[in-house]
Amino acid sequence: MKAKMFTMLLALSMGSVASFAQKGVEDGSRFGHGEDSIRCLQNISIYTEYVKTANFKDAYTPWKAVFTEAPIAQVGTYTNGAKILRALIAQATDGAQQKVYLDELMSVHDQRIKYLDQLNKLVRAKSSKGSVLGMKAHDFIIFSGNKVDVNKAYDMVKEALEMEKENADYFLLQDMMDISARKLKSDPNHKEQFIQDYLTTAGYADLAFKAATKERDKKLLKTAKDNVDAYFINSGTATCENLQNIYGPKVAQNKTNLEYLKQVISIMQLLKCTNEEAYFEASEAAHAIEPTAATACGCGYMYYKKGDIEKSVSYFDQAIELEQDPIEKANECYNAAVVLMSKKQYSRAKQYANKAISFNNENGKAYILIAQMYAASPTWSEESALNKCTYFAVIDKLQRAKSVDPSVEEEANKLIRTYSGYCPKDEDLFFLGLKKGDTVNIGGWIGETTKIR
């Protein structure tokens, strides 16, 4: 088929204009005209065969002629050209020659972008400017090695990612954090932007993974997301002290800048730095402009830290009302329960813990919290043996916690071992006419029925 097409194109080129020669780069045609078109088609045929056999050295010269003389001949000029030059860079032992090849590789990507609209008309699978620029940045980073111009690479990757967003190739996501981390090492002022780069890149990686349908793509994107996280964690920037130092002075300057405040809140929640003053200030300022569940939570934490329990709970109430996600609603109920428990307001705290369970019946933490409150307030009867029966109810909650939430199993088992030692002995219950298997109603604010075991 290829030979037949070549013959047809050759015949057309040698028709009535056999004496006229002009390159494609000169007249805007795919292959040029006359003798130039013949030479172009011959070079395509020659270098393509060499590429098939991985003979990149001999493929270079005929490919270069096509690249120079007929820039819109075919998309393969660029995909094969990149393949040839990558191989030649890897094979070259002379640094100067490697630099020559790398410069040519960069020009391959640049020229492809220049003629992208014409080239896309030749194929079904279109390429975007961002994807080509991303590949250029990737090649630049890989083949520059330790001598890479970090600022130049960073600008390229950032521009490409801004174009592609969640459609970015998996390697571009990794490159963004790699090169941003390198920039951070040489420029301490890059800290805030590095954090923003992480949030942006991780967000795109999550969206890309959720949208992926092919198993191979899912695996690549999962690895990319793991690497993005690793670059961030290993940077040493992901500490609450660093975030406070970065955002503390700037929150005060941006108290009316809602987008900036939201960004600070999101970052500090993500990194579990919700005890820092910057988080509190950003939350309160943002809440005053546009109340959300996140800003209400921030205010709730702030007033808890300040010791104003009622105001803290009132903000968590707002968060529960504003939140749409039932899992998050459950978390906010749990937070309110913790606040109230800290002041020994057990009855109210239990209400919020049960509310958390109503939103998420797999919330093991809420069951554990109830168990700990029962254990902290076991005195409801004048009979000490009956008071000890409270620990059966404690164990009931702990058993329930680990049955619905495997993530808390270790903690629940540890507490079960501890509280089992407080349960009444058989002889303690004998004089009350109670034995194993009997039920006991735990009174007071607890209000539970449990079995003696």
Side-chain angles (χ1 to χ4, degrees):
M1 180 64 74
K2 288 183 179 178
K4 189 174 181 181
M5 179 169 283
F6 177 75
T7 302
M8 181 180 70
L9 291 168
L10 188 60
L12 288 170
S13 300
M14 294 179 66
S16 58
V17 290
S19 61
F20 173 71
Q22 195 166 19
K23 298 179 178 67
V25 71
E26 296 169 345
D27 65 6
S29 63
R30 281 188 68 182
F31 305 103
H33 288 94
E35 293 178 0
D36 286 327
S37 68
I38 296 170
R39 184 172 62 255
C40 176
L41 292 165
Q42 287 175 332
N43 282 327
I44 290 173
S45 180
I46 293 167
Y47 89 70
T48 301
E49 290 304 314
Y50 280 136
V51 168
K52 286 180 183 178
T53 59
N55 184 352
F56 300 112
K57 182 179 179 182
D58 289 333
Y60 174 77
T61 299
W63 163 79
K64 186 65 179 291
V66 177
F67 174 76
T68 305
E69 297 176 5
I72 60 170
Q74 55 178 188
V75 175
T77 306
Y78 300 93
T79 55
N80 284 320
K83 190 182 294 185
I84 291 166
L85 288 164
R86 288 174 192 139
L88 293 178
I89 293 169
Q91 293 168 9
T93 56
D94 178 63
Q97 185 58 56
Q98 286 180 326
K99 178 66 167 57
V100 170
Y101 287 140
L102 178 57
D103 288 344
E104 284 191 290
L105 179 55
M106 295 296 99
S107 70
V108 167
H109 295 301
D110 288 338
Q111 185 165 292
R112 185 178 182 183
I113 291 171
K114 179 180 178 181
Y115 293 104
L116 194 60
D117 289 342
Q118 293 100 308
L119 292 166
N120 275 339
K121 292 176 183 177
L122 306 177
V123 291
R124 288 183 180 179
K126 316 297 182 189
S127 297
S128 64
K129 179 180 177 181
S131 67
V132 179
L133 182 60
M135 182 57 73
K136 176 186 176 183
H138 184 67
D139 282 335
F140 182 69
I141 293 168
I142 294 296
F143 293 108
S144 294
N146 294 329
K147 296 179 181 178
V148 66
D149 183 330
V150 171
N151 290 326
K152 183 177 178 181
Y154 178 81
D155 290 343
M156 271 196 283
V157 174
K158 196 167 190 299
E159 183 182 357
L161 189 59
E162 285 172 353
M163 290 178 180
E164 292 298 288
K165 297 182 169 59
E166 67 270 24
N167 298 315
D169 289 307
Y170 72 94
F171 56 80
L172 183 59
L173 299 167
Q174 296 175 160
D175 287 343
M176 182 72 250
M177 289 310 297
D178 173 22
I179 208 66
S180 190
R182 294 199 216 182
K183 186 174 173 65
L184 178 63
K185 285 183 180 179
S186 59
D187 180 9
N189 295 322
H190 184 63
K191 275 184 182 179
E192 185 175 357
Q193 184 57 50
F194 176 76
I195 295 170
Q196 184 56 52
D197 288 342
Y198 168 71
L199 288 175
T200 301
T201 307
Y204 291 152
D206 284 336
L207 290 173
F209 180 80
K210 289 175 184 175
T213 55
K214 295 180 181 178
E215 195 58 35
R216 178 180 177 276
D217 292 339
K218 282 184 173 291
K219 286 181 179 178
L220 289 172
L221 287 165
K222 174 65 168 61
T223 301
K225 178 61 168 63
D226 289 345
N227 288 336
V228 165
D229 290 341
Y231 277 119
F232 184 59
I233 293 167
N234 294 333
S235 71
T237 306
T239 68
C240 296
E241 183 181 357
N242 272 339
L243 294 184
Q244 175 61 38
N245 291 336
I246 291 168
Y247 294 120
K250 294 189 176 182
V251 168
Q253 300 166 13
N254 288 273
K255 284 201 170 180
T256 58
N257 184 344
L258 183 59
E259 288 308 309
Y260 184 82
L261 296 170
K262 284 181 176 179
Q263 181 186 102
V264 173
I265 294 165
S266 175
I267 292 168
M268 299 192 85
Q269 282 183 336
L270 180 70
L271 297 178
K272 296 181 172 37
C273 295
T274 53
N275 287 323
E276 303 302 318
E277 197 63 31
Y279 174 72
F280 299 148
E281 291 179 4
S283 297
E284 191 166 42
H287 195 75
I289 301 170
E290 181 184 279
T292 66
T295 59
C297 273
C299 293
Y301 285 123
M302 178 179 69
Y303 282 102
Y304 170 61
K305 187 178 180 182
K306 290 181 177 180
D308 191 334
I309 300 305
E310 291 305 318
K311 203 159 188 179
S312 173
V313 172
S314 73
Y315 273 113
F316 282 120
D317 282 337
Q318 290 182 50
I320 295 163
E321 185 178 347
L322 291 166
E323 183 59 65
Q324 299 300 313
D325 183 350
I327 303 298
E328 288 304 314
K329 277 182 178 285
N331 290 336
E332 285 142 14
C333 290
Y334 175 81
N335 290 334
V338 170
V339 169
L340 290 165
M341 179 185 172
S342 72
K343 293 300 180 182
K344 298 184 180 182
Q345 296 188 29
Y346 297 132
S347 181
R348 287 179 69 194
K350 181 183 175 181
Q351 291 174 13
Y352 279 94
N354 281 328
K355 201 172 180 181
I357 293 166
S358 73
F359 286 121
N360 175 18
N361 59 14
E362 296 179 357
N363 192 325
K365 294 188 304 179
Y367 284 108
I368 288 177
L369 194 69
I370 293 172
Q372 289 173 319
M373 289 191 288
Y374 286 1
S377 181
T379 305
W380 56 274
S381 170
E382 293 180 359
E383 292 285 350
S384 62
L386 288 177
N387 287 333
K388 289 181 180 180
C389 288
T390 305
Y391 292 100
F392 291 132
V394 170
I395 293 169
D396 289 342
K397 293 299 180 185
L398 294 171
Q399 294 282 11
R400 182 63 177 165
K402 69 177 187 176
S403 72
V404 300
D405 186 357
S407 71
V408 303
E409 183 173 1
E410 184 178 350
E411 182 183 2
N413 283 335
K414 183 178 178 181
L415 290 171
I416 288 170
R417 288 192 295 271
T418 298
Y419 292 129
S420 293
Y422 293 94
C423 293
K425 303 286 192 300
D426 290 346
E427 55 268 28
D428 295 331
L429 298 170
F430 177 77
F431 293 105
L432 297 175
L434 296 172
K435 61 184 182 304
K436 288 181 181 178
D438 288 348
T439 59
V440 177
N441 295 318
I442 308 299
W445 68 270
I446 295 176
E448 292 275 359
T449 299
T450 186
K451 277 190 177 184
I452 298 171
R453 63 205 69 161

